[in-house]
Each structure stands twice: as C-alpha cells, then as structure tokens.
C-alpha cells in the first residue's frame, strides 16, 4: 500500500522557521504574535494531525494534514477571507453600496501602535460619523418641499467596517474600509434611497470624532498633539467616498478584495537568501511597481506588527447589519436565503481546491475512484470515527433527552 501526503513548506514558513529564535530573543514579540507564528510555521505539518483517506478500489491511502486556521497564515488567511466574505454577503441588502476609506493623520499612527486598544476608537469614530450624517440627511429632508417620505424615525443605513493596519508597503498605517448602503430604513418606511454624501462633513466629522475619542482616552497630555493636528489638517482627515458604487451582483467579489486578507501574499515575495528578503508592491499613488530588499528580521517585524491581539474584532457590523428585527426581514437581500447552500458549498475544502486548481483532491489519479475518510489523527493519536459519533451523541442526549434516537451505531 502507498501513503501520499501533501505537506510542503512555503517561503513565509521557511523565513519564520529559520529565524524563530532571533525573533523571540531580539524582538520580544507579543503573546498573540508568538501564537500565530507558531500556528503558521506548523500549518500543514502531518505530525500535528490530519485525516486519512483510502481508495476502496486499489487500497492506496492519502493523508491530508490539518491547517492552522490562523489569519496570519497566507493559506489559511485566504480561506478565512473567503468564508467571511460569504458570511458577509448573506447580510448585504440588494442595493448599491458605497466603498468609503477613512484614513488618519500620519502623526497619530504611533499612538495606535503603542496602545492597540485605541484601534477601537477608529471604529467608534466611523460609526458616529455615519450615524450623524444620516441623521442630518433625514432631518433636512423633513423640511424639503415635495419630498413625500418626510422625517423617518430611526432612519438607519447598513454598513460594515474592516480595519486594516497595513499599506501596500507593509508599513503601519491603520485605516478603516467601510461598505455603506446607499439608503436606509426606519420605523415608518421600509427603505429610502440616499445617493449623495457630503464629503466635507465626512472629513471634518471624522477628524473631530476621532480626536475627541483619543483625547478622552489619553487625557490632557494629548491636547498639544490635538491642536497641532487641527492646525496642520484644516480640511479634516482624508476620507475617500467617491461614487464607485458596488452593485449587489458584484458585492461578493468587491468586498473580498478588502476583507481580512493576509498582510502579504507569498506571490509578492520575490526572493529570500537567508539574510535578506525582496518583495514588491504597486505604489498606491500611481500604481508604479516598487521592489524593496530588507533585512530578514526587519521583514519579520514589518509583518508581525499587523497581527491583532487575541479576540480583537477586525470586522464589525453596524446599523441594519448589526440588528435583528422582524421589520428588517422585509428587506431584499443580495443573495436570497434559498441560495445560501450553493455559496456555502463552494467554500468546502474539496470544492475550493476543485474550483481553484482544477482537480479533485479525493479522486485517486491512477484508478479514478473517490477516496473515503478512514480515520482522523490528532496529537499523534488516532481518533476513530465511531468514537467521534458516540461523543456527539452523548452530548446530544445531555441537551435533548426527549429526542434521543432509538438506534445507535453498533
């Protein structure tokens, strides 16, 4: 019999594995960094467990190692992005959305790097600004002659915020990507369209809201910085909210570009010689291709600074997308509930590989038969499938004693 396994180390795993001790003793990383790096290095390592498949026709075996599930890992990070994109797309209302980017002054970036809890201020500032903008829109339309709907109590849009702490050059640059519905719903009207946003209001309001949040968190020691920023940024912070509308039919592809993707894809790493790493990116201002070569420890530091603290939410839902009301069930979604199973099926491991690389990982290439799951291994020990079944059934019985099935696995 023959055993096949598909474990191979990518270039990012190699870089971190070869310089792991130097990273630990020289850079003194945070606990969340050590945890995610450990996971990423051992991602796909057969000794950490996996699933054994066998062909019933020719008897050959294939061992598929478990993945690390870390967002820092380029492989698992992409899978995480796909799963979250699908989950997010089920919430999206069938209406055009505006993609907004909220950036901050360069002078503020070190504050967020030193105290990562301040990143919550970015989310609360964006929430405050958008809520205030829609309140003003609703209030102004109340007195507009000939405007039928009038003032709508509780007029609320749906918006999703995603925090990015990196730019294309991998430097520390925290900013918020926001997908905002062009319209909202209220207590007296199911939906009202809004397609004009006041950019000056967004810029000024975001600057004021964020600086006020930081002042309340940091105290009077922040006053001098706050005054200098108002003086140097008289037009407010840059907010990109041009009418690059995201149509419902393209919403999944669009939000997938900005949702929880890894800091760097392995395809952007051009070379590694043991001491230096060369990578490339397209400069944001003019899309010019830039190639940089940096010492390997600097490269590691550039990546690990973007690993969030454990349990920190990088994606947050607001407005219509954060609540669960019966009235919201009347809103038309971009993807109907009947089609959810179709999109979820594309995210399964087997289907993902089939659609991405064009081959079925469970189809044995010699005889063409589909291999079956035989056994799971975890921490060097086999986990028989009947034990898993019995464990699940015991848990089920303890929760629902009145609906225990009469028959069980013998």
């Amino acid at each position: 019999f023959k055993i096949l396994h598909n474990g191979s180390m990518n270039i990012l795993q190699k870089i971190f594995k070869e310089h792991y001790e130097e990273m630990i003793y020289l850079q003194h990383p945070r606990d969340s960094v050590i945890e995610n790096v450990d996971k990423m290095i051992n991602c796909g390592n057969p000794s950490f467990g996996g699933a054994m498949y066998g062909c019933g026709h020719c008897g050959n075996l294939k061992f598929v190692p478990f993945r690390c599930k870390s967002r820092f890992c380029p492989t698992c990070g992409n899978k995480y992005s796909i799963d979250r994109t699908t989950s997010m797309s089920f919430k999206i209302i069938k209406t055009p959305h505006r993609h907004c980017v909220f950036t901050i002054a360069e002078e503020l970036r070190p504050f967020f790097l030193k105290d990562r809890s301040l990143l919550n201020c970015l989310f609360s500032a964006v929430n405050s600004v958008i809520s205030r903008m829609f309140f003003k829109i609703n209030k102004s339309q109340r007195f507009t002659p000939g405007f039928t709907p009038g003032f709508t109590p509780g007029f609320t849009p749906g918006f999703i915020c995603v925090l990015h702490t990196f730019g294309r050059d991998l430097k520390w640059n925290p900013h918020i990507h926001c997908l905002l519905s062009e319209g909202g719903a209220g207590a007296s009207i199911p939906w009202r369209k809004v397609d004009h946003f006041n950019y000056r209001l967004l810029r000024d309001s975001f600057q004021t809201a964020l600086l006020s949040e930081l002042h309340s968190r940091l105290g009077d020691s922040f006053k001098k910085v706050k005054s200098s920023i108002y003086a140097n940024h008289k037009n407010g912070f840059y907010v990109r909210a041009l009418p690059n509308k995201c149509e419902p039919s393209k919403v999944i592809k669009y939000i997938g570009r900005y949702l929880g993707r890894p800091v760097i894809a392995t395809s952007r790493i051009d070379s590694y010689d043991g001491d230096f790493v060369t990578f490339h990116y397209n400069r944001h201002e003019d899309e010019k291709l830039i190639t940089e070569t940096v010492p390997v420890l600097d490269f590691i530091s550039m990546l690990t600074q973007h690993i969030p603290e454990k349990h920190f939410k990088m994606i947050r839902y607001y407005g219509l997308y954060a609540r669960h009301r019966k009235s919201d069930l009347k809103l038309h979604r971009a993807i109907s509930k009947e089609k959810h199973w179709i999109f979820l099926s594309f995210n399964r491991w087997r289907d993902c590989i089939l659609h991405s690389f064009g081959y079925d990982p469970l189809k044995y290439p010699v005889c063409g038969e589909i291999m079956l799951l035989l056994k799971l291994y975890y921490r060097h020990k086999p986990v028989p499938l009947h034990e898993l079944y019995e464990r699940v059934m015991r848990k089920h019985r303890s929760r629902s004693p009145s609906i225990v099935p009469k028959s069980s696995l013998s």
Side-chain angles (χ1 to χ4, degrees), residues 349-363:
W349 166 73
R350 181 181 176 185
D351 295 281
C352 271
I353 293 181
L354 180 61
H355 291 107
S356 299
F357 303 105
Y359 74 95
D360 187 344
L362 296 184
K363 185 176 181 180

Side-chain angles (χ1 to χ4, degrees), residues 261-280:
R261 65 178 187 267
V263 179
I264 188 171
T266 53
S267 58
R268 285 178 52 198
I269 302 176
D270 300 319
S271 65
Y272 163 63
D273 61 6
D275 297 315
F276 292 90
V277 178
T278 301
F279 67 98
H280 68 270

Side-chain angles (χ1 to χ4, degrees), residues 136-175:
K136 283 182 172 289
I137 292 172
N138 189 31
K139 188 177 180 180
S140 65
Q141 289 181 344
R142 180 183 185 182
F143 303 103
T144 302
F147 189 80
T148 306
F151 185 79
T152 304
F155 183 54
T156 308
F159 56 106
I160 304 169
C161 294
V162 181
L163 172 65
H164 281 185
T165 58
F166 53 90
R168 297 180 182 180
D169 56 1
L170 305 184
K171 293 179 181 177
W172 179 257
N173 178 19
H175 57 282

